[in-house]
């Protein structure tokens, strides 16, 4: 009986032609990476390990006015979104699944997931609060009414999945072996709706995060 490589199955899933399959498998990869890194960093690294070390986050100052700080956070999160979308213009072949091209934006997304999980596992957030136990950290991540994390990361995930079609250059790791023209890129109606949803989710997450920061710093 042929053994199925789970990692290869995930890679094949996240580059599937069907947008909904791509999103589904991207969530599988997100949960596996996020939970694993959070748990490992919780047990292996000290609390506040990363606090003050991020060259940008540690220097951000937000307005005490809710809507202004919401726009500030929204603008900051647009940087990560743009990075993912632009990086998806290039795709590489990897040894895990040699017949598939994986967009670089996916790597950027997974990198963001790892960083967020490290912050959660070590409780390194810039707004200092008492560190809760591990299970509460994980549960609170998915509290979309009081925490912005899952909504924000979902926006990045959808941005990566929908901009999968934006790839113009395909590389075998050494050279460009396939080039597409921008005019050849066409999104289905469902993909256009999802693309709009990305920015709606980003704004919602910015509002929730802004409100929470203001409440914690009063």
């Amino acid at each position: 009986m042929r053994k199925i490589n789970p990692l290869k199955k995930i890679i094949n899933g996240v580059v599937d032609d069907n947008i909904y399959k791509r999103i589904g498998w991207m969530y599988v990869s997100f949960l596996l990476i996020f939970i694993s890194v959070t748990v490992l960093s919780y047990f292996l690294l000290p609390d506040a390990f990363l606090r003050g070390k991020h060259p940008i986050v540690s220097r951000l100052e937000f307005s005490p006015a809710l809507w202004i700080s919401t726009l500030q956070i929204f603008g900051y999160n647009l940087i990560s979104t743009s990075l993912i979308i632009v990086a998806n213009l290039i795709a590489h072949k990897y040894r895990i699944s040699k017949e598939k091209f994986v967009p670089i934006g996916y790597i950027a997304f997974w990198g963001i997931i790892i960083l967020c999980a490290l912050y959660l596992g070590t409780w390194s957030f810039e707004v200092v609060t008492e560190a809760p136990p591990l299970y509460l950290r994980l549960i609170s991540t998915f509290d979309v009414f009081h925490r912005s994390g899952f909504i924000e990361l979902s926006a990045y995930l959808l941005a990566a999945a929908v901009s999968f079609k934006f790839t113009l250059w395909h590389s075998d790791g050494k050279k460009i072996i396939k080039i597409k023209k921008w005019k050849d890129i066409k999104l289905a109606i469902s993909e256009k709706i999802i693309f709009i949803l990305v920015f709606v989710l980003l704004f919602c997450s910015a509002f929730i995060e802004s409100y929470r920061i203001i409440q914690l710093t009063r």
Side-chain angles (χ1 to χ4, degrees):
M1 183 177 178
R2 183 181 178 184
K3 292 183 178 180
I4 300 176
N5 184 333
L7 189 54
K8 183 176 181 179
K9 188 174 180 65
I10 292 173
I11 294 298
N12 289 343
V14 299
V15 298
D16 195 279
D17 290 333
N18 185 293
I19 179 64
Y20 300 109
K21 289 183 179 180
R22 289 203 301 274
I23 292 172
W25 281 107
M26 284 293 278
Y27 269 113
V28 170
S29 71
F30 159 55
L31 292 173
L32 287 174
I33 294 171
F34 186 79
I35 294 174
S36 298
V37 175
T38 298
V39 172
L40 288 173
S41 61
Y42 176 83
F43 287 109
L44 299 178
L45 298 174
D47 275 358
F49 177 72
L50 293 175
R51 184 175 297 147
K53 295 180 180 179
H54 194 289
I56 298 177
V57 174
S58 60
R59 297 181 183 180
L60 289 178
E61 292 184 9
F62 298 112
S63 169
L66 176 61
W67 288 108
I68 295 177
S69 62
T70 295
L71 291 175
Q72 288 176 318
I73 294 170
F74 178 72
Y76 173 73
N77 290 342
L78 279 178
I79 297 174
S80 298
T81 307
S82 300
L83 171 66
I84 291 170
I85 293 173
V86 171
N88 267 0
L89 293 174
I90 304 175
H92 279 285
K93 275 188 177 181
Y94 293 92
R95 292 182 179 179
I96 297 171
S97 186
K98 294 182 179 180
E99 69 274 15
K100 301 291 185 179
F101 290 90
V102 180
I104 301 300
Y106 280 19
I107 309 301
F109 168 72
W110 290 324
I112 291 172
I113 295 300
I114 291 172
L115 183 61
C116 290
L118 286 171
Y119 266 85
L120 182 66
T122 60
W123 205 250
S124 297
F125 304 109
E126 297 303 318
V127 179
V128 181
T129 58
E130 183 179 354
L134 177 61
Y135 77 95
L136 284 181
R137 300 184 195 192
L138 290 170
I139 291 174
S140 65
T141 299
F142 303 97
D143 178 5
V144 296
F145 296 104
H146 302 95
R147 301 287 194 279
S148 63
F150 184 68
I151 299 175
E152 179 184 330
L153 295 175
S154 289
Y156 297 152
L157 183 151
L158 293 178
V162 77
S163 62
F164 166 78
K165 282 191 172 180
F166 293 176
T167 300
L168 298 178
W169 299 283
H170 297 76
S171 168
D172 62 0
K174 296 180 180 179
K175 62 182 183 297
I176 301 298
I177 60 175
K178 180 181 177 183
I179 299 176
K180 288 173 60 179
K181 295 181 179 179
W182 188 255
K183 66 179 181 180
D184 296 328
I185 297 174
K186 293 179 175 60
L187 297 181
I189 296 296
S190 58
E191 292 171 321
K192 291 178 181 178
I193 293 173
I194 292 170
F195 194 66
I196 294 171
L197 180 61
V198 167
F199 300 97
V200 173
L201 291 177
L202 281 179
F203 187 82
C204 290
S205 71
F207 178 82
I208 294 171
E209 185 174 355
S210 176
Y211 182 81
R212 177 167 171 77
I213 290 174
I214 290 172
Q215 293 295 311
L216 290 173
T217 53
R218 276 182 176 176

